[in-house]
Amino acid sequence: MFAVDRRMLARLEPVVRRVLIVDHNAHAARLIAELLKTLGAREVVVEGEARPAMRAAATLDPGLIFTERLGPNLDGEEFARAVRRSDMSCRRAPIIMVTAEATASSIKGARDVGVHEYLRKPFTSADLMKRIENVALKPRDWIEGVAYVGPDRRRFNSGEYAGPTKRKSDKPTSAAQAVADAKDQAMRILAAALDQFDADPAQAVRAVREQAVQLKAIGMKASDTRLVVAVGALEVSLASGPATKATLAAPIGALLAMHQGAGEALRRAG
């Protein structure tokens, strides 16, 4: 183990205060738990299987979750997916997957179910600390879609990456472009939520609610009255009873048409 200064401990404390470890290997779980206690963890719950782990997550409300990828009665990817698509208050908690199976497909699988970080076994205390610092000190944008729910995947396992930006699209953008990108992403998620509503109605409604919040904030900041009013119509629909594809179609359609019309106008002006 190693010493951590008080200022760092204070910054990590909100995340590590309550931790859930899902691992059938008691020795591996104990190693993680011991490090977490040196970082200020007050409650550390260990479960070896998915079902009791879900119950523990609901009761504990962890700020950080570790899960083994595979074990008896445990599929770490399915567990992470279930947490992300639940109504638990910890559904956005950082998840770190710990496993010796570090293949390209397993890493991609973890990323695509909303895992924040991937930690290969065997690992050192420094490796573990790097992942904890990454999820605690470098929060990522949250994506509330239907096909995907979790942190922005473009910076997956960025704790291992020390080089230049991974994509050309990762270059710094202007404030105006960032707002335009956020608005475009929200509109695309709304369209996907409506299209995929029948496959997962509960998640589709969560996705729509989140995009309404994002778009209203964008409209208010930009003093875009048309956008705020259109989002208001969507909010009324969401508040008027159980949302269905039919009740959401008109307000989402109006928002998408407005966005498409604005985009065409910009292209003609350009």
Side-chain angles (χ1 to χ4, degrees):
M1 298 297 177
F2 46 83
V4 182
D5 66 64
R6 291 183 179 180
R7 286 178 295 181
M8 177 62 74
L9 289 175
R11 297 177 69 189
L12 297 179
E13 195 272 341
V15 172
V16 304
R17 182 186 304 133
R18 295 185 302 275
V19 181
L20 173 63
I21 301 173
V22 189
D23 196 330
H24 67 283
N25 186 316
H27 176 68
R30 185 166 59 253
L31 288 176
I32 295 174
E34 288 176 355
L35 174 61
L36 289 167
K37 288 176 181 177
T38 68
L39 299 178
R42 300 177 186 176
E43 296 180 71
V44 179
V45 173
V46 178
E47 295 289 352
E49 300 181 354
R51 287 187 178 180
M54 285 295 289
R55 292 194 293 268
T59 303
L60 179 66
D61 188 20
L64 177 61
I65 299 171
F66 288 86
T67 182
E68 170 61 75
R69 179 170 176 265
L70 291 172
N73 300 312
L74 172 65
D75 181 323
E77 290 183 10
E78 286 302 314
F79 171 72
R81 179 182 173 86
V83 170
R84 294 296 184 231
R85 293 168 182 271
S86 72
D87 290 320
M88 295 187 295
S89 56
C90 67
R91 63 189 297 269
R92 297 192 183 195
I95 299 177
I96 299 176
M97 184 168 285
V98 187
T99 180
E101 299 295 326
T103 64
S105 61
S106 66
I107 293 172
K108 182 177 184 297
R111 181 200 67 182
D112 290 347
V113 295
V115 168
H116 278 72
E117 296 286 334
Y118 201 92
L119 181 61
R120 298 172 176 85
K121 293 179 179 178
F123 56 84
T124 66
S125 296
D127 294 330
L128 183 55
M129 183 66 181
K130 183 183 294 183
R131 298 303 186 281
I132 294 171
E133 288 183 353
N134 205 45
V135 300
L137 307 181
K138 302 175 184 177
R140 288 189 264 161
D141 292 339
W142 185 260
I143 308 299
E144 190 74 51
V146 179
Y148 175 74
V149 183
D152 189 332
R153 289 175 286 187
R154 290 175 296 177
R155 290 194 286 142
F156 181 77
N157 247 29
S158 54
E160 290 189 326
Y161 189 80
T165 52
K166 299 178 184 178
R167 299 177 177 83
K168 291 180 179 179
S169 60
D170 288 340
K171 292 181 179 179
T173 57
S174 67
Q177 186 59 52
V179 170
D181 290 345
K183 183 178 179 182
D184 183 66
Q185 176 174 267
M187 293 293 185
R188 286 188 286 107
I189 292 176
L190 282 178
L194 194 61
D195 182 61
Q196 301 168 27
F197 192 95
D198 294 334
D200 192 343
Q203 183 54 41
V205 171
R206 276 193 291 265
V208 171
R209 289 187 188 279
E210 180 68 16
Q211 306 325 305
V213 171
Q214 298 296 328
L215 288 170
K216 186 173 184 178
I218 290 171
M220 295 289 287
K221 187 173 182 179
S223 298
D224 187 338
T225 305
R226 290 185 66 228
L227 177 58
V228 172
V229 170
V231 173
L234 177 57
E235 291 177 323
V236 169
S237 179
L238 288 167
S240 298
T244 66
K245 188 173 183 178
T247 61
L248 295 175
I252 289 178
L255 279 163
L256 296 177
M258 180 190 304
H259 185 57
Q260 183 179 13
E264 291 175 351
L266 286 173
R267 283 192 291 274
R268 287 196 298 269

